[in-house]
Amino acid sequence: MLDRCGETIRPGAKAGKTSRMQVVSRSYRTQPAARRIGLPEKALLAAVERGIVPAFRDPDDRLRIPASTVDAFATREELSEKIAGFIILKTRDLAVACGVHRSSIYRRLRKLGISTTRATWGEVRARWELPATYARYQQVLDDNWRAIQEERQAQKVREEAEKSMLREQLIAAFPDWRHEQRANQRVTVLLGEANSAKTWAALERLIATGSGWYLAPLRLLAYEIYDSLNRRGIACNLLTGEEELDVRGAQITAATIEMFDARFRGGCVVLDEAHMLGDPDRGWAWTRALMEARAEEMLVLGPLAARPLVEQLLDAVGQPFTFEQSSRLVPLRMATTPYKLRELPARTIVVAFSRSLVLALKADLEQMGRKVSIVYGALPPEVRRRQADRFACGEAEICVATDAIGMGLNLPADAVCFYETQKYDGRRVRPLSAMEVHQIGGRAGRFGLAEQGVITALKKGDIEFLRQQFERTPSPIRQAYVAPSVSDLALLPGRLAARLLRWRELESIPVSMRSFIKTADLEDRIELASLLEPEEEAAVGLGAAVKLTHAPARPESRFYWRWCATAIVKGDPLPFPPEPPKDLASSIDLARAEQVIACADLYLWLARTPEFRAFGPCYEEVRRARYALAEHIDQALLSRLDTRKRCASCGRVLPLHHRYRLCENCYLDRSYDYWDDDIS
């Protein structure tokens, strides 16, 4: 071994007395050798394997390289270059060194038959104007990376400057909520528990004033107020995105909140469900109504959790207000024992959080001989109203509903029974909040019809969870939301989807309000805007394109929204909504009919919007067809349409608690088919 090592001693090593120590002092192991030469160990090992670098194994079977050899390869570039030829290069680094895109490097390597993932320095040396030595290549690479980093930093500085400028412009354009009517405007903030007559008191004030608006979160609730006032002989209009019903002589309008004209200067505006200020998707409409309404009087209704935020918003613009708190007219209590599905008392609302479960519960309860009505979001509002009316007048004993009932719907229920205590909120499945338990459970115990209301469930564990949430004070709502105007978006560059994203990211809120006002989520609008081509945006103009993204396009009707957008761009009439199923014999038929209703609602919304009115010549025809289909759905539900959960493959009835589309047998069969196919 000493003969192989030679006489050169490693720097810092001692010669040693034993032969073993002398060998160690006169040779390197591969890792320190690679460090001394300044090249990767893998390349050095490859050179050793090829016989380019002499090496030997010591008695411990460790590979060693003579110190004289290492010194020679470390100091003579022509020798180190032999090792460098085995270095595997990153295609990204090659692209940077050559000053081209990575895809260009891929093409060049493939043309030469060189691996695109394991190209070595020896294979590309001096090609494509690369240097002749690896050391020079590293220098060029470092210089180019440094230039790229400097450019990126400069670009970041430019972007930050542009971002700051855009934010300042948007802040300067932020709506001025300190309008001249503030000094004379009377604002009453009336907050309290559900079923505490807040809405009744506000409507009485609206009626006494003689003119104004009632602003609701749901079409169904707006329709309920419209219907109730007209039955009392008080003329009231109805205004929703899909429908406008004018009543002769009416000075009062019941509307969905998005349809509110903030320039209204009449007598009174009633803003219901004020806790919706904190909704990231729709909260902007409540913020706009609260901060921009110019009526002589405004009544703000909602739960106590909305108080801090409402007060912050009004204080921010110097708006005086009066606070009033209401209390429940009928006491509300938690049940001590679970209800049984077969023994539900009449006038019970059963709450579930998915359409499929609501329909399955309806079918199961009807199989038990109960009369059932249902309320969920995808049902046409007219059908929901009729279903609710049947429960209200006693035709139906049980109402199965989603959390839509928590939005102030007036149902004469003695008890609210939670079938489940978790819900999917669009992002994840989570437990109900204290606010949700109070809002939904608070529907129990209608004044004049019940001595008390009861919140209950079908499982003991759920009752305990509901008790904890019921006894907890709901967390205060801390943030309101605002949405961009067309003029805001006009200040930003790029396509509409990019502008919406940029506006949201900039969070251009005045500093004084930034702690309690945020930019709205806009996810649905961004998704719709991304469906428009650049030339289509240019053809219709920014204002019309923005209006298109406001359309009520649900996931199941977005294909139809795309058809309508194409027609508008071409200047053609809006396409007629798809044909509904001829018969409603199953839950699949019902889902298809609901999809057609959603498409018809989209047609009616577009045909009523000033920018697109000329494209909807069949408004009345679509409206009549939609009402006929809604009637068909209602009759099908009334005739006990079979809506039980069924396997998507074999059609077998599934248990209520079954979470999947397939039954166990079909799932296993498909699993076996999969493996059989894979093996074959």
Side-chain angles (χ1 to χ4, degrees), residues 492-555:
L492 302 172
R495 294 181 55 187
L496 178 55
R499 295 186 197 208
L500 290 166
L501 272 169
R502 192 72 181 277
W503 181 88
R504 185 177 68 182
E505 292 165 357
L506 285 171
E507 294 190 334
S508 304
I509 313 295
V511 175
S512 61
M513 299 181 184
R514 206 165 285 170
S515 63
F516 57 91
I517 295 181
K518 299 293 180 186
T519 52
D521 182 74
L522 305 180
E523 202 59 48
D524 289 339
R525 296 195 201 179
I526 292 167
E527 190 169 338
L528 290 178
S530 66
L531 298 177
L532 294 172
E533 298 295 334
E535 57 273 15
E536 292 176 326
E537 289 182 24
V540 298
L542 180 61
V546 170
K547 201 70 174 180
L548 269 175
T549 65
H550 288 184
R554 297 176 179 174

Side-chain angles (χ1 to χ4, degrees), residues 64-267:
R64 306 193 73 88
I65 303 172
S68 56
T69 301
V70 172
D71 287 350
F73 275 87
T75 55
R76 296 173 58 186
E77 190 174 46
E78 70 275 12
L79 291 178
S80 67
E81 192 63 19
K82 292 181 180 181
I83 299 174
F86 297 102
I87 296 175
I88 297 173
L89 306 177
K90 294 179 180 178
T91 50
R92 179 186 62 178
D93 288 346
L94 266 176
V96 169
C98 293
V100 298
H101 194 272
R102 198 183 302 186
S103 60
S104 176
I105 292 295
Y106 285 140
R107 287 195 296 271
R108 293 179 184 184
L109 291 172
R110 282 194 291 265
K111 188 175 181 181
L112 294 171
I114 300 172
S115 170
T116 56
T117 57
R118 298 188 62 80
T120 64
W121 171 244
E123 292 174 309
V124 300
R125 182 193 291 121
R127 295 182 184 275
W128 317 317
E129 299 182 2
L130 286 171
T133 66
Y134 184 74
R136 178 58 185 153
Y137 166 79
Q138 280 290 95
Q139 186 179 347
V140 170
L141 182 61
D142 290 345
D143 290 345
N144 288 1
W145 269 122
R146 193 177 299 109
I148 288 171
Q149 292 301 325
E150 289 173 356
E151 175 55 31
R152 285 177 180 172
Q153 189 61 34
Q155 179 64 22
K156 188 176 180 180
V157 170
R158 289 193 296 269
E159 287 175 357
E160 285 298 320
E162 180 188 10
K163 188 175 179 179
S164 178
M165 180 189 70
L166 289 173
R167 183 180 285 117
E168 291 303 317
Q169 289 177 338
L170 288 168
I171 289 175
F174 195 82
D176 182 10
W177 290 329
R178 297 177 179 272
H179 54 74
E180 64 277 8
Q181 278 81 24
R182 289 282 179 207
N184 300 319
Q185 193 175 50
R186 299 185 306 279
V187 177
T188 301
V189 180
L190 177 55
L191 306 179
E193 300 173 85
N195 271 330
S196 58
K198 300 186 298 294
T199 304
W200 180 86
L203 288 175
E204 290 300 306
R205 182 61 197 157
L206 176 60
I207 292 166
T209 305
S211 66
W213 293 69
Y214 170 80
L215 305 179
L218 301 174
R219 284 187 286 171
L220 186 55
L221 190 52
Y223 184 87
E224 182 181 294
I225 300 301
Y226 157 82
D227 187 50
S228 172
L229 292 183
N230 281 299
R231 284 183 182 181
R232 291 173 58 183
I234 300 160
C236 177
N237 301 319
L238 176 68
L239 179 61
T240 70
E242 298 74 22
E243 188 172 35
E244 183 173 5
L245 298 178
D246 292 325
V247 177
R248 181 177 294 179
Q251 297 297 312
I252 295 173
T253 299
T256 45
I257 192 163
E258 285 86 353
M259 300 304 296
F260 175 54
D261 184 352
R263 296 168 297 179
F264 168 75
R265 296 172 183 264

Side-chain angles (χ1 to χ4, degrees), residues 383-651:
V383 180
R384 275 182 278 169
R385 179 72 260 156
R386 290 173 190 169
Q387 293 285 316
D389 285 346
R390 289 193 185 100
F391 180 71
C393 70
E395 286 182 29
E397 307 164 84
I398 309 295
C399 178
V400 185
T402 61
D403 50 349
I405 64 163
M407 290 287 193
L409 294 180
N410 294 314
L411 298 173
D414 295 344
V416 169
C417 179
F418 287 82
Y419 184 82
E420 52 186 347
T421 57
Q422 291 187 321
K423 64 176 285 188
Y424 178 68
D425 62 7
R427 293 177 177 83
R428 60 188 177 92
V429 177
R430 59 166 177 80
L432 296 176
S433 67
M435 168 74 80
E436 289 166 330
V437 171
H438 280 258
Q439 287 294 110
I440 299 168
R443 297 298 109 199
R446 190 75 181 149
F447 178 66
L449 297 174
E451 294 182 0
Q452 65 176 356
V454 178
I455 298 176
T456 187
L458 299 175
K459 300 174 187 175
K460 191 168 183 62
D462 285 347
I463 284 187
E464 187 54 38
F465 168 79
L466 292 169
R467 184 187 307 282
Q468 292 172 3
Q469 297 298 77
F470 180 67
E471 293 174 352
R472 182 176 298 161
T473 301
S475 301
I477 299 163
R478 298 295 186 188
Q479 294 179 343
Y481 291 86
V482 290
S485 65
V486 175
S487 57
D488 288 337
L489 297 174
L491 295 172
L492 302 172
R495 294 181 55 187
L496 178 55
R499 295 186 197 208
L500 290 166
L501 272 169
R502 192 72 181 277
W503 181 88
R504 185 177 68 182
E505 292 165 357
L506 285 171
E507 294 190 334
S508 304
I509 313 295
V511 175
S512 61
M513 299 181 184
R514 206 165 285 170
S515 63
F516 57 91
I517 295 181
K518 299 293 180 186
T519 52
D521 182 74
L522 305 180
E523 202 59 48
D524 289 339
R525 296 195 201 179
I526 292 167
E527 190 169 338
L528 290 178
S530 66
L531 298 177
L532 294 172
E533 298 295 334
E535 57 273 15
E536 292 176 326
E537 289 182 24
V540 298
L542 180 61
V546 170
K547 201 70 174 180
L548 269 175
T549 65
H550 288 184
R554 297 176 179 174
E556 65 269 22
S557 63
R558 279 185 184 152
F559 75 96
Y560 180 70
W561 180 92
R562 178 63 249 188
W563 293 358
C564 292
T566 301
I568 289 168
V569 169
K570 292 181 177 179
D572 296 336
L574 296 173
F576 212 77
E579 284 292 321
K582 293 181 180 179
D583 298 312
L584 297 181
S586 68
S587 57
I588 295 174
D589 295 333
L590 179 60
R592 174 65 177 153
E594 290 167 359
Q595 183 185 46
V596 173
I597 290 281
C599 293
D601 284 345
L602 191 49
Y603 184 104
L604 298 176
W605 188 92
L606 290 168
R608 286 198 59 255
T609 302
E611 290 89 340
F612 313 120
R613 192 168 290 155
F615 301 101
C618 299
Y619 176 86
E620 286 300 330
E621 186 180 352
V622 172
R623 185 168 174 265
R624 286 193 297 270
R626 182 196 174 283
Y627 279 140
L629 180 55
E631 178 69 27
H632 191 187
I633 291 173
D634 186 55
Q635 290 302 314
L637 291 172
L638 191 60
S639 64
R640 298 197 172 186
L641 169 72
D642 183 6
T643 56
R644 288 175 294 179
K645 294 174 75 171
R646 292 182 179 275
C647 173
S649 179
C650 70

